[in-house]
Amino acid sequence: MATRNTGTRGLSTAAVSGIGAAAGALAGLAVQRRRLQALRLRLETMERAVHAQRHADLASQQRQHWELLSKAIDDPELAEVLDIYEVSVSPKQRRQYLFANALYTNLLLYYRIGNLNKEEFFKHVRGMFQNPIVRDYWHATRQQRASLADTDEAELGWLVDELLQSLEEADTEEWWVVGEPPSA
């Protein structure tokens, strides 16, 4: 009589079951990975949208700032509202200071939205401060900048203060080499 072998050849039921569980786990991980990639992509898209909105908000604020300054430049009575300088200024100087403020604020916006890095900002400011009216404006608004603490505007203001001091102490006509630009 022949003996019959009733056992399975090769893999046991437990092994087959283990392979099935592993395959299921791998499939689950693949699905989870696709979901994570989709979420990561969605988050990146949202971050770009927030960044673009911040730029749009800054540009809108810049336009509004310019409109207000333009009104004050054009109307001496309105300009008196903005006369918070440390020294007494004539109406002509006030208009010039308002325009200097607009120039500086524009440069600040360029930095904030990423069109300029800190080194480029420094170099543009160094050029602006070749004008004595801009230097006078900067000195006349020292008190206003002192109230800015722990902001990017305050940090750039300190950078400009140091640059202006270097320019005033420089013993060279080559103003474009005065001061140490910060690293980008």
Side-chain angles (χ1 to χ4, degrees):
M1 212 168 167
T3 315
R4 235 179 185 191
N5 188 353
T6 57
T8 57
R9 288 188 186 194
L11 300 176
S12 69
T13 306
V16 170
S17 185
I19 291 173
L26 286 175
L29 285 174
V31 168
Q32 190 175 26
R33 184 174 183 179
R34 281 193 299 273
R35 285 182 183 160
L36 284 174
Q37 286 174 334
L39 286 172
R40 189 174 296 122
L41 179 62
R42 188 172 174 199
L43 180 62
E44 288 171 1
T45 301
M46 291 174 71
E47 286 174 345
R48 281 193 299 273
V50 166
H51 191 67
Q53 184 61 48
R54 182 173 185 270
H55 282 187
D57 291 346
L58 283 170
S60 175
Q61 191 276 330
Q62 179 72 10
R63 273 189 302 279
Q64 188 174 34
H65 180 257
W66 174 244
E67 287 172 14
L68 291 170
L69 285 179
S70 292
K71 288 179 181 183
I73 289 170
D74 293 340
D75 186 338
E77 291 176 4
L78 293 177
E80 288 178 19
V81 173
L82 297 175
D83 191 346
I84 52 176
Y85 306 111
E86 293 181 26
V87 295
S88 178
V89 297
S90 69
K92 177 183 175 182
Q93 286 174 305
R94 187 179 306 119
R95 290 178 71 219
Q96 291 170 331
Y97 286 4
L98 292 172
F99 190 74
N101 174 269
L103 290 175
Y104 179 77
T105 304
N106 188 58
L107 200 56
L108 183 63
L109 174 71
Y110 267 47
Y111 171 77
R112 284 181 170 159
I113 64 174
N115 285 354
L116 296 174
N117 62 33
K118 199 176 283 188
E119 181 181 0
E120 293 165 327
F121 174 87
F122 179 89
K123 290 176 180 179
H124 281 281
V125 168
R126 185 168 50 193
M128 280 177 51
F129 277 88
Q130 296 315 297
N131 185 298
I133 296 169
V134 176
R135 286 183 186 200
D136 290 344
Y137 156 77
W138 195 257
H139 289 300
T141 56
R142 178 174 292 132
Q143 185 178 25
Q144 294 171 38
R145 286 188 311 283
S147 67
L148 303 173
D150 300 326
T151 64
D152 61 340
E153 189 172 353
E155 181 184 341
L156 293 173
W158 296 323
L159 178 86
V160 174
D161 287 341
E162 290 175 10
L163 170 62
L164 184 55
Q165 183 176 352
S166 296
L167 286 168
E168 289 174 345
E169 293 172 354
D171 191 24
T172 181
E173 293 296 316
E174 298 174 342
W175 58 267
W176 55 91
V177 297
V178 174
E180 186 64 33
S183 58

PDB file of all heavy atoms in Angstrom, residues 42-59:
ATOM      1  N   ARG A  42       0.295  69.528  -2.020  1.00  0.00           N
ATOM      2  CA  ARG A  42      -0.764  70.483  -1.663  1.00  0.00           C
ATOM      3  C   ARG A  42      -0.235  71.546  -0.699  1.00  0.00           C
ATOM      4  O   ARG A  42      -0.526  72.737  -0.852  1.00  0.00           O
ATOM      5  CB  ARG A  42      -1.927  69.723  -1.030  1.00  0.00           C
ATOM      6  CG  ARG A  42      -3.135  70.553  -0.794  1.00  0.00           C
ATOM      7  CD  ARG A  42      -4.286  69.681  -0.362  1.00  0.00           C
ATOM      8  NE  ARG A  42      -5.416  70.499   0.009  1.00  0.00           N
ATOM      9  CZ  ARG A  42      -6.415  70.090   0.735  1.00  0.00           C
ATOM     10  NH1 ARG A  42      -6.454  68.847   1.157  1.00  0.00           N
ATOM     11  NH2 ARG A  42      -7.402  70.898   1.032  1.00  0.00           N
ATOM     12  N   LEU A  43       0.576  71.136   0.271  1.00  0.00           N
ATOM     13  CA  LEU A  43       1.165  72.082   1.221  1.00  0.00           C
ATOM     14  C   LEU A  43       2.100  73.053   0.511  1.00  0.00           C
ATOM     15  O   LEU A  43       2.062  74.261   0.770  1.00  0.00           O
ATOM     16  CB  LEU A  43       1.911  71.319   2.315  1.00  0.00           C
ATOM     17  CG  LEU A  43       2.593  72.157   3.383  1.00  0.00           C
ATOM     18  CD1 LEU A  43       1.566  72.991   4.151  1.00  0.00           C
ATOM     19  CD2 LEU A  43       3.372  71.273   4.338  1.00  0.00           C
ATOM     20  N   GLU A  44       2.919  72.547  -0.403  1.00  0.00           N
ATOM     21  CA  GLU A  44       3.819  73.425  -1.164  1.00  0.00           C
ATOM     22  C   GLU A  44       3.030  74.431  -1.993  1.00  0.00           C
ATOM     23  O   GLU A  44       3.407  75.599  -2.084  1.00  0.00           O
ATOM     24  CB  GLU A  44       4.736  72.586  -2.056  1.00  0.00           C
ATOM     25  CG  GLU A  44       5.797  71.820  -1.294  1.00  0.00           C
ATOM     26  CD  GLU A  44       6.557  70.830  -2.165  1.00  0.00           C
ATOM     27  OE1 GLU A  44       6.282  70.739  -3.386  1.00  0.00           O
ATOM     28  OE2 GLU A  44       7.429  70.130  -1.619  1.00  0.00           O
ATOM     29  N   THR A  45       1.943  73.986  -2.589  1.00  0.00           N
ATOM     30  CA  THR A  45       1.090  74.876  -3.379  1.00  0.00           C
ATOM     31  C   THR A  45       0.499  75.964  -2.487  1.00  0.00           C
ATOM     32  O   THR A  45       0.480  77.137  -2.861  1.00  0.00           O
ATOM     33  CB  THR A  45      -0.031  74.071  -4.069  1.00  0.00           C
ATOM     34  OG1 THR A  45       0.572  73.078  -4.902  1.00  0.00           O
ATOM     35  CG2 THR A  45      -0.927  74.958  -4.900  1.00  0.00           C
ATOM     36  N   MET A  46       0.044  75.570  -1.312  1.00  0.00           N
ATOM     37  CA  MET A  46      -0.529  76.551  -0.386  1.00  0.00           C
ATOM     38  C   MET A  46       0.534  77.537   0.103  1.00  0.00           C
ATOM     39  O   MET A  46       0.269  78.729   0.217  1.00  0.00           O
ATOM     40  CB  MET A  46      -1.177  75.828   0.797  1.00  0.00           C
ATOM     41  CG  MET A  46      -2.441  75.062   0.405  1.00  0.00           C
ATOM     42  SD  MET A  46      -3.107  74.062   1.750  1.00  0.00           S
ATOM     43  CE  MET A  46      -3.740  75.344   2.819  1.00  0.00           C
ATOM     44  N   GLU A  47       1.744  77.044   0.364  1.00  0.00           N
ATOM     45  CA  GLU A  47       2.829  77.929   0.799  1.00  0.00           C
ATOM     46  C   GLU A  47       3.171  78.940  -0.289  1.00  0.00           C
ATOM     47  O   GLU A  47       3.418  80.110  -0.006  1.00  0.00           O
ATOM     48  CB  GLU A  47       4.055  77.109   1.187  1.00  0.00           C
ATOM     49  CG  GLU A  47       3.901  76.386   2.500  1.00  0.00           C
ATOM     50  CD  GLU A  47       5.060  75.450   2.818  1.00  0.00           C
ATOM     51  OE1 GLU A  47       5.865  75.131   1.899  1.00  0.00           O
ATOM     52  OE2 GLU A  47       5.162  75.033   3.981  1.00  0.00           O
ATOM     53  N   ARG A  48       3.195  78.497  -1.543  1.00  0.00           N
ATOM     54  CA  ARG A  48       3.459  79.424  -2.649  1.00  0.00           C
ATOM     55  C   ARG A  48       2.355  80.467  -2.745  1.00  0.00           C
ATOM     56  O   ARG A  48       2.613  81.638  -3.000  1.00  0.00           O
ATOM     57  CB  ARG A  48       3.606  78.662  -3.968  1.00  0.00           C
ATOM     58  CG  ARG A  48       4.961  78.014  -4.163  1.00  0.00           C
ATOM     59  CD  ARG A  48       5.172  77.537  -5.593  1.00  0.00           C
ATOM     60  NE  ARG A  48       4.217  76.539  -6.028  1.00  0.00           N
ATOM     61  CZ  ARG A  48       4.336  75.234  -5.855  1.00  0.00           C
ATOM     62  NH1 ARG A  48       5.386  74.757  -5.239  1.00  0.00           N
ATOM     63  NH2 ARG A  48       3.414  74.404  -6.299  1.00  0.00           N
ATOM     64  N   ALA A  49       1.123  80.040  -2.535  1.00  0.00           N
ATOM     65  CA  ALA A  49      -0.005  80.979  -2.589  1.00  0.00           C
ATOM     66  C   ALA A  49       0.098  82.009  -1.464  1.00  0.00           C
ATOM     67  O   ALA A  49      -0.146  83.199  -1.683  1.00  0.00           O
ATOM     68  CB  ALA A  49      -1.327  80.224  -2.505  1.00  0.00           C
ATOM     69  N   VAL A  50       0.475  81.568  -0.283  1.00  0.00           N
ATOM     70  CA  VAL A  50       0.635  82.494   0.853  1.00  0.00           C
ATOM     71  C   VAL A  50       1.768  83.470   0.555  1.00  0.00           C
ATOM     72  O   VAL A  50       1.646  84.676   0.801  1.00  0.00           O
ATOM     73  CB  VAL A  50       0.899  81.714   2.161  1.00  0.00           C
ATOM     74  CG1 VAL A  50       1.399  82.631   3.268  1.00  0.00           C
ATOM     75  CG2 VAL A  50      -0.361  80.977   2.598  1.00  0.00           C
ATOM     76  N   HIS A  51       2.854  82.964   0.000  1.00  0.00           N
ATOM     77  CA  HIS A  51       3.999  83.809  -0.350  1.00  0.00           C
ATOM     78  C   HIS A  51       3.599  84.850  -1.397  1.00  0.00           C
ATOM     79  O   HIS A  51       3.925  86.038  -1.275  1.00  0.00           O
ATOM     80  CB  HIS A  51       5.140  82.924  -0.857  1.00  0.00           C
ATOM     81  CG  HIS A  51       6.440  83.610  -1.015  1.00  0.00           C
ATOM     82  ND1 HIS A  51       7.162  84.089   0.048  1.00  0.00           N
ATOM     83  CD2 HIS A  51       7.153  83.911  -2.131  1.00  0.00           C
ATOM     84  CE1 HIS A  51       8.267  84.654  -0.405  1.00  0.00           C
ATOM     85  NE2 HIS A  51       8.280  84.565  -1.715  1.00  0.00           N
ATOM     86  N   ALA A  52       2.872  84.407  -2.418  1.00  0.00           N
ATOM     87  CA  ALA A  52       2.410  85.327  -3.470  1.00  0.00           C
ATOM     88  C   ALA A  52       1.447  86.358  -2.892  1.00  0.00           C
ATOM     89  O   ALA A  52       1.505  87.542  -3.259  1.00  0.00           O
ATOM     90  CB  ALA A  52       1.736  84.543  -4.597  1.00  0.00           C
ATOM     91  N   GLN A  53       0.590  85.951  -1.982  1.00  0.00           N
ATOM     92  CA  GLN A  53      -0.343  86.886  -1.356  1.00  0.00           C
ATOM     93  C   GLN A  53       0.411  87.910  -0.511  1.00  0.00           C
ATOM     94  O   GLN A  53       0.061  89.086  -0.499  1.00  0.00           O
ATOM     95  CB  GLN A  53      -1.375  86.145  -0.490  1.00  0.00           C
ATOM     96  CG  GLN A  53      -2.425  87.055   0.102  1.00  0.00           C
ATOM     97  CD  GLN A  53      -3.248  87.779  -0.942  1.00  0.00           C
ATOM     98  OE1 GLN A  53      -3.731  87.171  -1.890  1.00  0.00           O
ATOM     99  NE2 GLN A  53      -3.398  89.079  -0.808  1.00  0.00           N
ATOM    100  N   ARG A  54       1.458  87.472   0.186  1.00  0.00           N
ATOM    101  CA  ARG A  54       2.261  88.400   0.985  1.00  0.00           C
ATOM    102  C   ARG A  54       2.900  89.450   0.078  1.00  0.00           C
ATOM    103  O   ARG A  54       2.890  90.632   0.393  1.00  0.00           O
ATOM    104  CB  ARG A  54       3.340  87.657   1.765  1.00  0.00           C
ATOM    105  CG  ARG A  54       4.165  88.587   2.645  1.00  0.00           C
ATOM    106  CD  ARG A  54       5.125  87.828   3.541  1.00  0.00           C
ATOM    107  NE  ARG A  54       5.797  88.731   4.437  1.00  0.00           N
ATOM    108  CZ  ARG A  54       6.946  89.340   4.156  1.00  0.00           C
ATOM    109  NH1 ARG A  54       7.536  89.149   2.998  1.00  0.00           N
ATOM    110  NH2 ARG A  54       7.509  90.157   5.029  1.00  0.00           N
ATOM    111  N   HIS A  55       3.425  89.019  -1.064  1.00  0.00           N
ATOM    112  CA  HIS A  55       4.009  89.966  -2.014  1.00  0.00           C
ATOM    113  C   HIS A  55       2.950  90.943  -2.516  1.00  0.00           C
ATOM    114  O   HIS A  55       3.211  92.149  -2.615  1.00  0.00           O
ATOM    115  CB  HIS A  55       4.643  89.231  -3.192  1.00  0.00           C
ATOM    116  CG  HIS A  55       5.973  88.649  -2.873  1.00  0.00           C
ATOM    117  ND1 HIS A  55       6.770  88.083  -3.817  1.00  0.00           N
ATOM    118  CD2 HIS A  55       6.660  88.529  -1.705  1.00  0.00           C
ATOM    119  CE1 HIS A  55       7.882  87.651  -3.269  1.00  0.00           C
ATOM    120  NE2 HIS A  55       7.829  87.892  -1.985  1.00  0.00           N
ATOM    121  N   ALA A  56       1.779  90.414  -2.831  1.00  0.00           N
ATOM    122  CA  ALA A  56       0.693  91.279  -3.312  1.00  0.00           C
ATOM    123  C   ALA A  56       0.284  92.273  -2.230  1.00  0.00           C
ATOM    124  O   ALA A  56       0.049  93.451  -2.518  1.00  0.00           O
ATOM    125  CB  ALA A  56      -0.505  90.440  -3.742  1.00  0.00           C
ATOM    126  N   ASP A  57       0.222  91.826  -0.986  1.00  0.00           N
ATOM    127  CA  ASP A  57      -0.128  92.714   0.126  1.00  0.00           C
ATOM    128  C   ASP A  57       0.929  93.799   0.319  1.00  0.00           C
ATOM    129  O   ASP A  57       0.599  94.968   0.542  1.00  0.00           O
ATOM    130  CB  ASP A  57      -0.299  91.924   1.425  1.00  0.00           C
ATOM    131  CG  ASP A  57      -1.527  91.030   1.424  1.00  0.00           C
ATOM    132  OD1 ASP A  57      -2.401  91.197   0.538  1.00  0.00           O
ATOM    133  OD2 ASP A  57      -1.601  90.145   2.306  1.00  0.00           O
ATOM    134  N   LEU A  58       2.203  93.414   0.227  1.00  0.00           N
ATOM    135  CA  LEU A  58       3.276  94.398   0.354  1.00  0.00           C
ATOM    136  C   LEU A  58       3.224  95.416  -0.785  1.00  0.00           C
ATOM    137  O   LEU A  58       3.401  96.620  -0.560  1.00  0.00           O
ATOM    138  CB  LEU A  58       4.642  93.706   0.376  1.00  0.00           C
ATOM    139  CG  LEU A  58       5.033  93.024   1.679  1.00  0.00           C
ATOM    140  CD1 LEU A  58       6.283  92.171   1.477  1.00  0.00           C
ATOM    141  CD2 LEU A  58       5.266  94.044   2.782  1.00  0.00           C
ATOM    142  N   ALA A  59       2.979  94.948  -1.987  1.00  0.00           N
ATOM    143  CA  ALA A  59       2.885  95.860  -3.139  1.00  0.00           C
ATOM    144  C   ALA A  59       1.702  96.806  -2.972  1.00  0.00           C
ATOM    145  O   ALA A  59       1.812  98.005  -3.267  1.00  0.00           O
ATOM    146  CB  ALA A  59       2.763  95.068  -4.430  1.00  0.00           C
TER     147      ALA A  59
END
